[in-house]
Amino acid sequence: MNSDRDLDADRGADDTLEFDYQPFSLALEEPLETAAGPIDAREGFLVRLVDIDGTIGYGEATPLPGWTESEADCEAALERVQPALEEGGPSAALEAVDQQVAARHALSLALADLQATRQSTPLYRYLGNGPMIGRVPVNATIGDGSPAATSAAARRASDRGFSCCKLKVGLRSLEADLERIRETRAAVGEEMALRVDANEAWSYDEAERALETLADLDVAVLEQPLPAGALEGHADLRAQQSGVDIALDEGLLEHGVDNICEVGAADAVVLKPMALGGIDVARKLAAWVTELGITPIITTTIDGVVARTGAVHLAAAIPDIPPCGLATAELLAEDLGRDPVLLEKGAAVVPQAKGLGVDGVWADE
Ligand SMILES: [Mg+2]
């Protein structure tokens, strides 16, 4: 996770950066079920770097129980940033928060936003050096519900132009979930790509039984059917060559890319910048897994507009990115500021302003 080099390579040696942070709480439209219980708000810290010319870089740390450090540990890490900056610049500051992934996400994003803004280039081009990208494909995410509610939600997503839906399963019996998927396929037709995310809920036998039906229903991806620890189990499911790709999400954090590859446990991995320590870390992982023949999928952890927009830029910096879990703004009842990312026909329109392209987020602005 050592990736500070890119971030401060072109930084002038004689400037000083001022770091500051503000706590926030954003109510969710609906309570979010997590491994640590339901939460009804996303709480975290908006961070800001200001250089000697007054150029600003924004970042966001939004800890999520089970995926990142706690809110208290995150704040304690952020407290270390300014002294470390004064002592040793950005590299030292990143090192000071290296073990707190949400805090590191915030700082590295603020540094990247600052650099891209100084270079008058959109963040994704600063990250990837790639071509102009207008949009990145996104998936709709559909939570638990009756078969009728699930298929209706998928139909609405289809009407809005989404070409990929991810269905959350595992909160009801396997048969009931398979019925939901069956009704959904019938409702949206063959064109819609369907993914299924079990969030570790199934036993091996259940997953094996499910695979047959999922293959029949032309489900493209089965995400994290088994507990994160079950690396061999995922490899065994994948070895069945059902035609359904196996994706790891929770399992990636637990095992890392090397171990996943060694046993052949995944066709795709879900990269969550907030849980990995930043979009710079996620970008390197994406390049690495792509080289190994694994598909990267970028997903937010239901973050505020600053982190979400960072994830959109990250996705835009990765060549041939498949639909990503970036359409999560509507899960929040309020936000840190105006959303610069429009959703259009199942794609996120990538901001072309310099840096992240977010403004009006700092409380005293
Ligand atoms: Mg997942």
Side-chain angles (χ1 to χ4, degrees), residues 166 168 197 199 223 249 272:
K166 173 159 135 176
K168 291 284 193 175
D197 185 358
N199 289 109
E223 183 175 323
D249 182 1
K272 295 184 159 117

mmCIF file of all heavy atoms in Angstrom, residues 166 168 197 199 223 249 272, ligand 1:
data_model
loop_
_atom_site.group_PDB
_atom_site.id
_atom_site.type_symbol
_atom_site.label_atom_id
_atom_site.label_comp_id
_atom_site.label_asym_id
_atom_site.label_seq_id
_atom_site.Cartn_x
_atom_site.Cartn_y
_atom_site.Cartn_z
ATOM 1 N N LYS A 166 -27.213 -5.416 -10.027
ATOM 2 C CA LYS A 166 -26.651 -6.308 -9.010
ATOM 3 C C LYS A 166 -27.709 -6.538 -7.944
ATOM 4 O O LYS A 166 -28.183 -5.596 -7.318
ATOM 5 C CB LYS A 166 -25.409 -5.653 -8.406
ATOM 6 C CG LYS A 166 -24.819 -6.393 -7.231
ATOM 7 C CD LYS A 166 -23.376 -5.999 -7.050
ATOM 8 C CE LYS A 166 -23.050 -5.719 -5.603
ATOM 9 N NZ LYS A 166 -21.621 -5.424 -5.423
ATOM 10 N N LYS A 168 -28.816 -8.074 -4.391
ATOM 11 C CA LYS A 168 -28.339 -8.560 -3.102
ATOM 12 C C LYS A 168 -29.187 -9.762 -2.697
ATOM 13 O O LYS A 168 -30.422 -9.700 -2.742
ATOM 14 C CB LYS A 168 -28.472 -7.456 -2.044
ATOM 15 C CG LYS A 168 -27.516 -6.287 -2.269
ATOM 16 C CD LYS A 168 -26.105 -6.660 -1.853
ATOM 17 C CE LYS A 168 -25.210 -5.434 -1.777
ATOM 18 N NZ LYS A 168 -23.875 -5.778 -1.258
ATOM 19 N N ASP A 197 -24.999 -10.791 -5.479
ATOM 20 C CA ASP A 197 -24.035 -10.632 -4.383
ATOM 21 C C ASP A 197 -24.620 -11.235 -3.106
ATOM 22 O O ASP A 197 -25.623 -10.740 -2.592
ATOM 23 C CB ASP A 197 -23.719 -9.139 -4.167
ATOM 24 C CG ASP A 197 -22.631 -8.923 -3.116
ATOM 25 O OD1 ASP A 197 -22.140 -9.910 -2.530
ATOM 26 O OD2 ASP A 197 -22.276 -7.750 -2.868
ATOM 27 N N ASN A 199 -22.887 -11.665 -0.239
ATOM 28 C CA ASN A 199 -22.232 -11.154 0.970
ATOM 29 C C ASN A 199 -21.923 -12.261 1.988
ATOM 30 O O ASN A 199 -22.268 -12.136 3.161
ATOM 31 C CB ASN A 199 -23.049 -10.038 1.630
ATOM 32 C CG ASN A 199 -23.030 -8.745 0.824
ATOM 33 O OD1 ASN A 199 -24.039 -8.363 0.222
ATOM 34 N ND2 ASN A 199 -21.887 -8.075 0.778
ATOM 35 N N GLU A 223 -21.098 -12.901 -6.704
ATOM 36 C CA GLU A 223 -20.124 -12.236 -5.837
ATOM 37 C C GLU A 223 -20.187 -12.798 -4.424
ATOM 38 O O GLU A 223 -21.263 -12.864 -3.831
ATOM 39 C CB GLU A 223 -20.433 -10.728 -5.842
ATOM 40 C CG GLU A 223 -19.466 -9.880 -5.040
ATOM 41 C CD GLU A 223 -19.789 -8.391 -5.198
ATOM 42 O OE1 GLU A 223 -20.182 -7.963 -6.301
ATOM 43 O OE2 GLU A 223 -19.665 -7.654 -4.196
ATOM 44 N N ASP A 249 -15.157 -10.069 -2.880
ATOM 45 C CA ASP A 249 -15.220 -8.714 -2.345
ATOM 46 C C ASP A 249 -14.632 -8.761 -0.932
ATOM 47 O O ASP A 249 -13.457 -8.431 -0.716
ATOM 48 C CB ASP A 249 -16.682 -8.255 -2.362
ATOM 49 C CG ASP A 249 -16.869 -6.833 -1.875
ATOM 50 O OD1 ASP A 249 -15.870 -6.179 -1.538
ATOM 51 O OD2 ASP A 249 -18.024 -6.349 -1.827
ATOM 52 N N LYS A 272 -12.787 -1.576 -3.386
ATOM 53 C CA LYS A 272 -13.437 -0.457 -2.693
ATOM 54 C C LYS A 272 -12.351 0.493 -2.212
ATOM 55 O O LYS A 272 -11.637 0.182 -1.237
ATOM 56 C CB LYS A 272 -14.236 -0.979 -1.499
ATOM 57 C CG LYS A 272 -15.412 -1.860 -1.878
ATOM 58 C CD LYS A 272 -16.211 -2.249 -0.648
ATOM 59 C CE LYS A 272 -17.615 -2.658 -1.014
ATOM 60 N NZ LYS A 272 -17.906 -4.057 -0.695
HETATM 61 MG MG MG B 1 -20.098 -7.074 -2.300
#
